[in-house]
């Protein structure tokens, strides 16, 4: 029985993950078609919300199924006593896509979230603000962090990179350099660079601080150099 429950949710989660990878990919492609974009990653993600809503609406209508728009800047709600913070502000992944588990044996396993973190990529904007390093330290690392706990109880998550300068190839080299320095146990990112502005990669990470230990991190990098000002 337990094995069948696990298998059933694994299939449900795989579908959930694939749906939102497609949703974000389509929304990011629409973002890249804009005439002008400006601001930090929060401003860009706010604008992305409009495209995410449109994509979820369109897919839901065409497939006659409900696909919820990802939540933007929602805190991670506590589901057990030991997760209470005394009302303090909690860490907020950029986007949250919730999946209900009808086979859950415990309340804390009833709702599992696919977390999405977004960062700018490219040349440093100042001596102390190194975008490609931030992608590692303030992005990838948060999926195995005792403080942020992104991807807790989930087997996968998504990183989004907004490329505002530099080539994707140079960014990939720099991000891997910072990973080797700061997260040496993580495998290198190897992107499939094609004819579209969207570049994709996939990592399998063995986490030390969050369960489940075996974790997939999907990377979507959108090239907005032509419209970013």
């Amino acid at each position: 029985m337990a094995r069948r429950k696990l298998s059933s949710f694994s299939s449900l989660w795989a579908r959930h993950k694939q749906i939102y990878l497609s949703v974000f990919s389509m929304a990011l492609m629409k973002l890249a078609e804009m005439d002008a974009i400006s601001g930090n990653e929060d401003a860009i993600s706010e604008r992305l919300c409009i495209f995410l809503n449109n994509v979820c609406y369109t897919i839901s209508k065409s497939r006659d199924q409900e696909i919820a728009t990802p939540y933007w800047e929602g805190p991670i709600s506590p589901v057990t006593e030991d997760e209470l913070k005394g009302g303090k502000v909690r860490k907020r992944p950029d986007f949250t896509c919730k999946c209900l588990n009808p086979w859950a044996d415990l309340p804390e396993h009833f709702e599992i979230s696919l977390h999405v973190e977004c960062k700018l990529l490219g040349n440093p904007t100042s001596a102390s603000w190194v975008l490609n390093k931030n992608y590692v330290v303030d992005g990838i690392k948060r999926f195995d962090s005792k403080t942020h706990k992104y991807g807790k109880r989930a087997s996968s998550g998504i990183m989004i990179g907004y490329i505002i300068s530099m080539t994707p190839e140079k960014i990939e080299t720099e991000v891997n350099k910072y990973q080797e320095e700061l997260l040496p146990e993580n495998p290198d990112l190897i992107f499939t660079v094609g004819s579209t502005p969207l570049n994709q990669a996939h990592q399998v990470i063995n986490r030390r601080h969050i369960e489940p230990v075996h974790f997939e991190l999907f990377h979507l990098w959108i090239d907005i150099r032509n419209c970013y000002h």
Side-chain angles (χ1 to χ4, degrees), residues 3 20 32 51 77 85 89 101 103 134 148 197:
R3 184 175 298 173
Y20 283 101
F51 296 121
S77 302
K85 303 293 183 184
V89 176
N101 179 8
W103 300 282
N134 293 348
H148 287 78

Side-chain angles (χ1 to χ4, degrees), residues 1-2 13 15 41 61 67 69-70 74 102 106 115 124 126 137 161 163 168 195 198 203 213:
M1 178 67 71
W13 180 261
R15 177 176 173 273
E41 58 253 31
K61 287 290 187 180
I67 299 177
T69 302
L106 297 169
H115 288 148
S126 72
V137 176
I163 298 176
S195 58
L198 186 66
Q203 283 180 305
V213 172

